[in-house]
Amino acid sequence: MSQRHSVDPLQQAYSHFEKGDVQQAHKGCVSLIQAGEKVGEAYHLLAQINVSIGQLHKAAELCKHAIAHKNLVEFRVLLCRVYALLGQTDGVIAIANTVQVDEIQTPIQADTLGVALSTCNEHARALVYFSAAVNAPNPTPSFLYNYAVSSKFCGELEQAKKALWRVLDDEPTYYKAHFALSELTKGDEIRRHLAQLKQKLDNDAQPLEARLHLSHSLARELEKQQDYTQAFDVLTQAKQEKQKHLPYDASADRQVFAYLQAAFASNGHISPSSPSSQSTTRPIFVVGMPRSGTTLVERILSSHQQVSSGGELQDFSTLLKQMSGSQSLNVLDVTTLKQAESIDYNKLAQAYLARTQHIGNSAHFVDKLPFNFFYLPYIRRAFPNAKIICLQRNPMDTCVGNFRQLFSIHNPHYHYTHSLLSCASFYRQCMNWVEHWQAIEGENFMLLNYEALVTHPRQHIADLLKFCELAWDENCLHMQGNTAPVSTASKMQVKMPINQQSIGRWQRYKPHTNALEAVFQ
């Protein structure tokens, strides 16, 4: 007669979860908790189940229950991940501070913490954890890729390049690595990479996301060889394909811009009284069209001894969406803006300051999210005394720069970049809105011209610092010495001294730009 082996209920619940049977997994966890057996582990699995079905707030509470019963590193790592998914940067930082790198038990835990810290723009700290993940035996391509991208943000370009080549040696189809690498190749590496990219793009079975990454990578490498015509043809074909699958809804943007201009026709519509908690001048907001010089200004300001870099923070828009109670699918739409009229902006300000408390030890920090130009009246309600700088750049360079850049593929904010003409339409609406706002706004809003800034940097940096009520700091003029990590599309350019090299760059792409030129003429 064979002896029966008892089945571990926790392992059985995990087995159900791995097979996709969340109901049985959930049932097993509840039974363990009711029996008082492996309670911490059961709550931890329940948290994972809730993450898998998108119940993130519930998952966070379940993680806390797990930690209360058994304070394990893996439980804290999951809570850190959940906070990152929720966009709660203060929560990510608080939990990450409790996990030292030598406590990490597995490479996936290290990578998870690195990803969570990256979402908070804590790239230097993230790199420590990514390094631990890749120093383990046989790191996966995704671990190597995350390490490489973080290294690039932190200015460690050679180690980034080495890791990306290693990714592609192990996994030639890892298309994101091709795009990251295209920023770093030189000399013979360009030719080697071009051959790989052309071979992969010849495969018509590539999914849309892969083709977009590969096409943008190929265009970059062709531009290094000054083959601007072919580079533009490659991009045009890829963008047209994207438009078919993820069409740009121009009417949605028109509605938002129209609502803003109508709703804020004068400064009498802007702000209620200013509670004391809103009187802070700590955040400095830098906004404007993508590729208009916002990163340059952020680097100039954060080179000042009293200013830290916050990076591209999503906190303001996320908090406004949550507090508005809007159930619409998009973060930004007319429904959300209308419902935002009833927000307690004192509470929004308090929540925003709590989430950004970790950013540096300076008196000020820069929140450089370009699309915050949509939220100008709402930022002003929350922070009546905060300085807001909006970049204004030549329309041709701005639109061509937007068209050439690979932005977040599934973020509808960037769908206007599908064509040069839709870039032109978006640019005009944006500039009409910010110029309208400038006429309404008082002394705390500044329109800054990119071409003027790079042509006469000392003069305009002095004006910028005076506007921000900051004393002159020579470091601002030499912002290429700023060692803070930078993760935007301009991360390579801002490591050079302020220069005029980008002015008129659009002319390389004639005659592709003739229709765009006609719009602005």
Side-chain angles (χ1 to χ4, degrees), residues 6-295:
S6 60
V7 178
D8 183 339
L10 181 66
Q11 289 302 319
Q12 198 170 36
Y14 265 106
S15 178
H16 286 305
F17 178 55
E18 288 165 2
K19 292 174 183 175
D21 189 349
V22 294
Q23 287 186 330
Q24 285 300 316
H26 185 278
K27 186 177 178 181
C29 290
V30 172
S31 296
L32 283 166
I33 292 167
Q34 289 173 341
E37 298 176 9
K38 297 185 178 180
V39 175
E41 290 85 347
Y43 275 123
H44 179 237
L45 178 53
L46 281 175
Q48 293 176 70
I49 292 169
N50 277 272
V51 170
S52 73
I53 60 175
Q55 298 290 336
L56 298 178
H57 289 285
K58 189 172 180 180
E61 293 306 310
L62 290 164
C63 284
K64 292 174 190 174
H65 284 306
I67 293 166
H69 281 273
K70 189 177 287 188
N71 192 4
L72 297 182
V73 167
E74 63 182 303
F75 297 175
R76 282 177 276 154
V77 169
L78 179 59
L79 180 56
C80 204
R81 179 187 169 213
V82 173
Y83 279 143
L85 292 170
L86 285 167
Q88 295 183 8
T89 51
D90 51 339
V92 172
I93 299 298
I95 300 301
N97 286 343
T98 71
V99 183
Q100 302 303 313
V101 70
D102 55 5
E103 293 181 273
I104 297 294
Q105 297 162 330
T106 65
I108 195 166
Q109 288 178 7
D111 184 73
T112 300
L113 276 172
V115 170
L117 286 164
S118 292
T119 65
C120 306
N121 296 298
E122 291 285 321
H123 299 294
R125 289 185 63 188
L127 186 55
V128 174
Y129 293 98
F130 287 137
S131 297
V134 299
N135 286 333
N138 303 314
T140 66
S142 63
F143 292 170
L144 285 164
Y145 173 77
N146 288 340
Y147 166 79
V149 171
S150 189
S151 295
K152 187 159 62 166
F153 292 165
C154 294
E156 301 292 344
L157 304 185
E158 284 303 314
Q159 72 183 34
K161 184 162 62 174
K162 191 179 295 184
L164 289 167
W165 279 121
R166 188 175 167 191
V167 171
L168 294 174
D169 287 341
D170 294 346
E171 187 72 58
T173 59
Y174 205 102
Y175 55 84
K176 290 181 182 179
H178 283 288
F179 182 68
L181 182 63
S182 66
E183 236 175 358
L184 302 173
T185 51
K186 297 176 182 176
D188 289 339
E189 294 172 330
I190 297 172
R191 288 183 285 276
R192 173 186 170 190
H193 197 208
L194 272 170
Q196 291 183 0
L197 291 166
K198 288 177 179 177
Q199 181 182 19
K200 286 183 171 27
L201 281 166
D202 284 342
N203 178 6
D204 292 332
Q206 294 278 8
L208 173 64
E209 192 162 336
R211 292 193 72 80
L212 281 166
H213 279 83
L214 293 169
S215 296
H216 278 269
S217 306
L218 178 58
R220 270 185 183 168
E221 300 292 23
L222 289 167
E223 287 178 351
K224 291 176 191 175
Q225 297 192 325
Q226 300 184 354
D227 190 346
Y228 301 115
T229 296
Q230 189 179 350
F232 212 88
D233 287 339
V234 167
L235 285 181
T236 300
Q237 183 177 347
K239 298 276 188 172
Q240 287 173 347
E241 190 174 345
K242 184 183 177 187
Q243 173 66 9
K244 290 178 186 176
H245 292 85
L246 295 168
Y248 169 46
D249 183 3
S251 64
D253 282 336
R254 284 196 298 271
Q255 288 169 16
V256 170
F257 282 117
Y259 173 80
L260 288 169
Q261 296 222 32
F264 301 97
S266 69
N267 61 9
H269 296 82
I270 296 171
S271 181
S273 60
S274 305
S276 59
S277 63
Q278 293 175 262
S279 64
T280 181
T281 59
R282 187 163 188 258
I284 298 172
F285 294 88
V286 175
V287 306
M289 283 281 292
R291 314 303 293 149
S292 66
T294 54
T295 299

